CSV table of all heavy atoms in Angstrom, one decimal:
chain,number,residue,atom,x,y,z
A,56,VAL,N,-7.3,-1.9,16.2
A,56,VAL,CA,-8.1,-2.7,15.3
A,56,VAL,C,-7.3,-3.9,14.8
A,56,VAL,O,-6.1,-3.7,14.5
A,56,VAL,CB,-8.6,-1.8,14.0
A,56,VAL,CG1,-9.3,-2.7,13.1
A,56,VAL,CG2,-9.4,-0.6,14.5
A,57,LYS,N,-7.9,-5.0,14.8
A,57,LYS,CA,-7.2,-6.2,14.3
A,57,LYS,C,-7.6,-6.5,12.9
A,57,LYS,O,-8.8,-6.4,12.5
A,57,LYS,CB,-7.7,-7.4,15.2
A,57,LYS,CG,-7.0,-8.8,14.7
A,57,LYS,CD,-7.4,-9.9,15.6
A,57,LYS,CE,-8.8,-10.3,15.6
A,57,LYS,NZ,-9.1,-11.5,16.3
A,58,VAL,N,-6.6,-6.8,12.1
A,58,VAL,CA,-6.8,-7.2,10.7
A,58,VAL,C,-6.3,-8.6,10.5
A,58,VAL,O,-5.2,-8.9,10.8
A,58,VAL,CB,-6.1,-6.2,9.7
A,58,VAL,CG1,-6.2,-6.7,8.3
A,58,VAL,CG2,-6.7,-4.8,9.9
A,59,SER,N,-7.1,-9.4,9.9
A,59,SER,CA,-6.7,-10.8,9.5
A,59,SER,C,-6.8,-10.9,8.0
A,59,SER,O,-7.9,-11.1,7.4
A,59,SER,CB,-7.6,-11.8,10.1
A,59,SER,OG,-7.5,-11.8,11.5
A,60,PRO,N,-5.7,-10.6,7.3
A,60,PRO,CA,-5.7,-10.5,5.8
A,60,PRO,C,-6.2,-11.7,5.1
A,60,PRO,O,-5.9,-12.8,5.5
A,60,PRO,CB,-4.3,-10.2,5.4
A,60,PRO,CG,-3.7,-9.6,6.7
A,60,PRO,CD,-4.4,-10.4,7.8
A,61,THR,N,-7.0,-11.5,4.1
A,61,THR,CA,-7.5,-12.6,3.2
A,61,THR,C,-6.8,-12.5,1.8
A,61,THR,O,-7.1,-13.4,1.0
A,61,THR,CB,-9.0,-12.6,3.1
A,61,THR,OG1,-9.4,-11.3,2.5
A,61,THR,CG2,-9.7,-12.8,4.4
A,62,ARG,N,-6.0,-11.5,1.6
A,62,ARG,CA,-5.3,-11.4,0.3
A,62,ARG,C,-3.8,-11.4,0.5
A,62,ARG,O,-3.4,-11.1,1.6
A,62,ARG,CB,-5.7,-10.0,-0.4
A,62,ARG,CG,-7.2,-9.9,-0.7
A,62,ARG,CD,-7.6,-8.5,-1.0
A,62,ARG,NE,-7.4,-7.6,0.1
A,62,ARG,CZ,-7.3,-6.3,0.1
A,62,ARG,NH1,-7.4,-5.7,-1.1
A,62,ARG,NH2,-7.1,-5.6,1.2
A,63,ASP,N,-3.1,-11.7,-0.6
A,63,ASP,CA,-1.6,-11.7,-0.4
A,63,ASP,C,-1.1,-10.2,-0.3
A,63,ASP,O,-1.8,-9.3,-0.6
A,63,ASP,CB,-1.0,-12.4,-1.6
A,63,ASP,CG,-1.3,-11.8,-2.9
A,63,ASP,OD1,-1.0,-10.6,-3.1
A,63,ASP,OD2,-1.8,-12.5,-3.8
A,64,LYS,N,0.1,-10.1,0.1
A,64,LYS,CA,0.7,-8.8,0.5
A,64,LYS,C,0.7,-7.9,-0.8
A,64,LYS,O,0.6,-6.7,-0.6
A,64,LYS,CB,2.1,-8.9,1.1
A,64,LYS,CG,3.1,-9.6,0.2
A,64,LYS,CD,4.4,-9.7,1.0
A,64,LYS,CE,4.3,-10.6,2.2
A,64,LYS,NZ,5.6,-10.6,3.0
A,65,LEU,N,1.0,-8.4,-1.9
A,65,LEU,CA,1.0,-7.6,-3.1
A,65,LEU,C,-0.4,-7.0,-3.4
A,65,LEU,O,-0.5,-5.8,-3.7
A,65,LEU,CB,1.5,-8.4,-4.3
A,65,LEU,CG,1.5,-7.6,-5.7
A,65,LEU,CD1,2.3,-6.4,-5.6
A,65,LEU,CD2,2.0,-8.6,-6.8
A,66,ALA,N,-1.4,-7.8,-3.4
A,66,ALA,CA,-2.8,-7.3,-3.6
A,66,ALA,C,-3.2,-6.2,-2.6
A,66,ALA,O,-3.8,-5.3,-3.0
A,66,ALA,CB,-3.8,-8.5,-3.6
A,67,ARG,N,-2.7,-6.4,-1.4
A,67,ARG,CA,-3.1,-5.4,-0.4
A,67,ARG,C,-2.3,-4.1,-0.6
A,67,ARG,O,-2.8,-3.0,-0.2
A,67,ARG,CB,-2.8,-5.9,1.0
A,67,ARG,CG,-3.7,-7.1,1.4
A,67,ARG,CD,-3.2,-7.9,2.6
A,67,ARG,NE,-2.9,-7.0,3.7
A,67,ARG,CZ,-2.1,-7.3,4.7
A,67,ARG,NH1,-1.4,-8.5,4.6
A,67,ARG,NH2,-1.9,-6.5,5.7
A,68,ALA,N,-1.1,-4.1,-1.2
A,68,ALA,CA,-0.3,-2.9,-1.4
A,68,ALA,C,-0.7,-2.2,-2.6
A,68,ALA,O,-0.4,-1.0,-2.7
A,68,ALA,CB,1.2,-3.3,-1.4
A,69,LEU,N,-1.3,-2.8,-3.6
A,69,LEU,CA,-1.5,-2.2,-4.9
A,69,LEU,C,-2.2,-0.9,-4.9
A,69,LEU,O,-1.9,0.0,-5.6
A,69,LEU,CB,-2.2,-3.2,-5.8
A,69,LEU,CG,-1.4,-4.3,-6.4
A,69,LEU,CD1,-2.2,-5.4,-7.1
A,69,LEU,CD2,-0.3,-3.7,-7.4
A,70,PRO,N,-3.3,-0.7,-4.0
A,70,PRO,CA,-3.9,0.6,-4.1
A,70,PRO,C,-3.0,1.8,-3.8
A,70,PRO,O,-3.0,2.8,-4.5
A,70,PRO,CB,-5.0,0.5,-3.0
A,70,PRO,CG,-5.3,-1.0,-3.0
A,70,PRO,CD,-4.0,-1.6,-3.2
A,71,TRP,N,-2.1,1.7,-2.8
A,71,TRP,CA,-1.3,2.8,-2.5
A,71,TRP,C,0.0,2.8,-3.4
A,71,TRP,O,0.6,3.8,-3.6
A,71,TRP,CB,-0.9,2.9,-1.0
A,71,TRP,CG,0.0,1.8,-0.4
A,71,TRP,CD1,-0.4,0.7,0.2
A,71,TRP,CD2,1.4,1.8,-0.4
A,71,TRP,NE1,0.6,-0.1,0.6
A,71,TRP,CE2,1.8,0.6,0.2
A,71,TRP,CE3,2.4,2.6,-0.9
A,71,TRP,CZ2,3.1,0.2,0.5
A,71,TRP,CZ3,3.7,2.3,-0.7
A,71,TRP,CH2,4.1,1.1,0.0
A,72,ILE,N,0.3,1.6,-4.0
A,72,ILE,CA,1.4,1.6,-5.0
A,72,ILE,C,1.0,2.4,-6.2
A,72,ILE,O,1.8,3.1,-6.8
A,72,ILE,CB,1.7,0.1,-5.4
A,72,ILE,CG1,2.5,-0.6,-4.3
A,72,ILE,CG2,2.4,0.1,-6.7
A,72,ILE,CD1,2.7,-2.0,-4.6
A,73,ALA,N,-0.3,2.4,-6.6
A,73,ALA,CA,-0.8,3.2,-7.7
A,73,ALA,C,-0.6,4.7,-7.4
A,73,ALA,O,-0.2,5.5,-8.3
A,73,ALA,CB,-2.3,2.9,-8.0
A,74,ALA,N,-0.8,5.1,-6.2
A,74,ALA,CA,-0.6,6.5,-5.8
A,74,ALA,C,0.9,6.8,-5.8
A,74,ALA,O,1.4,7.9,-6.3
A,74,ALA,CB,-1.1,6.8,-4.4
A,75,ALA,N,1.8,5.9,-5.4
A,75,ALA,CA,3.2,6.1,-5.4
A,75,ALA,C,3.7,6.3,-6.8
A,75,ALA,O,4.6,7.1,-7.1
A,75,ALA,CB,3.9,4.9,-4.7
A,76,GLU,N,3.2,5.5,-7.8
A,76,GLU,CA,3.6,5.5,-9.2
A,76,GLU,C,3.3,6.9,-9.7
A,76,GLU,O,4.0,7.4,-10.6
A,76,GLU,CB,3.0,4.5,-10.0
A,76,GLU,CG,3.4,4.4,-11.4
A,76,GLU,CD,2.8,3.2,-12.2
A,76,GLU,OE1,1.8,2.7,-11.7
A,76,GLU,OE2,3.3,2.9,-13.3
A,77,SER,N,2.2,7.5,-9.2
A,77,SER,CA,1.9,8.9,-9.7
A,77,SER,C,2.5,10.0,-8.9
A,77,SER,O,2.1,11.1,-8.9
A,77,SER,CB,0.3,9.0,-9.6
A,77,SER,OG,-0.3,8.1,-10.4
A,78,ARG,N,3.6,9.6,-8.1
A,78,ARG,CA,4.3,10.5,-7.3
A,78,ARG,C,3.4,11.2,-6.2
A,78,ARG,O,3.6,12.4,-6.0
A,78,ARG,CB,5.0,11.6,-8.1
A,78,ARG,CG,6.3,11.3,-8.8
A,78,ARG,CD,6.4,10.0,-9.5
A,78,ARG,NE,7.7,9.9,-10.2
A,78,ARG,CZ,7.9,9.0,-11.2
A,78,ARG,NH1,6.9,8.1,-11.5
A,78,ARG,NH2,9.1,8.9,-11.8
A,79,ARG,N,2.6,10.4,-5.6
A,79,ARG,CA,1.7,11.0,-4.6
A,79,ARG,C,1.8,10.4,-3.3
A,79,ARG,O,0.9,10.3,-2.5
A,79,ARG,CB,0.2,10.9,-5.1
A,79,ARG,CG,-0.1,11.8,-6.3
A,79,ARG,CD,-1.6,11.7,-6.7
A,79,ARG,NE,-1.9,10.4,-7.4
A,79,ARG,CZ,-2.7,9.5,-6.8
A,79,ARG,NH1,-3.2,9.7,-5.6
A,79,ARG,NH2,-3.0,8.4,-7.4
A,80,VAL,N,3.0,9.8,-3.0
A,80,VAL,CA,3.3,9.3,-1.7
A,80,VAL,C,4.7,9.9,-1.3
A,80,VAL,O,5.7,9.8,-2.0
A,80,VAL,CB,3.4,7.7,-1.7
A,80,VAL,CG1,3.9,7.2,-0.3
A,80,VAL,CG2,2.1,7.1,-2.1
A,81,ALA,N,4.7,10.5,-0.1
A,81,ALA,CA,5.9,11.1,0.4
A,81,ALA,C,6.3,10.5,1.7
A,81,ALA,O,5.5,10.1,2.5
A,81,ALA,CB,5.7,12.6,0.6
A,82,LEU,N,7.6,10.4,1.9
A,82,LEU,CA,8.2,9.8,3.2
A,82,LEU,C,8.7,11.0,4.0
A,82,LEU,O,9.4,11.8,3.5
A,82,LEU,CB,9.3,8.8,2.8
A,82,LEU,CG,9.0,7.7,1.9
A,82,LEU,CD1,10.2,6.8,1.7
A,82,LEU,CD2,7.8,6.9,2.4
A,83,VAL,N,8.3,10.9,5.3
A,83,VAL,CA,8.7,12.0,6.2
A,83,VAL,C,9.9,11.6,7.0
A,83,VAL,O,9.8,10.7,7.8
A,83,VAL,CB,7.5,12.4,7.1
A,83,VAL,CG1,7.9,13.6,8.0
A,83,VAL,CG2,6.2,12.7,6.3
A,84,SER,N,11.0,12.2,6.8
A,84,SER,CA,12.3,11.9,7.5
A,84,SER,C,12.3,12.5,8.9
A,84,SER,O,11.6,13.4,9.2
A,84,SER,CB,13.5,12.3,6.7
A,84,SER,OG,13.5,13.7,6.6
A,85,GLY,N,13.2,12.0,9.7
A,85,GLY,CA,13.5,12.7,11.0
A,85,GLY,C,12.4,12.3,12.0
A,85,GLY,O,12.3,13.0,13.1
């Protein structure tokens, strides 16, 4: 799928940033 963003990078990241702030984003190592 191709995406041509119409918003700046901060605006696009904010939805999952909100989840990260609530400790609901995990990084999988290895």
Side-chain angles (χ1 to χ4, degrees):
V56 178
K57 178 175 70 173
V58 173
S59 299
T61 57
R62 299 166 295 164
D63 59 55
K64 60 180 62 184
L65 175 58
R67 292 163 57 201
L69 282 169
W71 67 265
I72 284 178
E76 185 176 15
S77 301
R78 277 47 174 196
R79 293 184 288 111
V80 177
L82 306 180
V83 185
S84 64

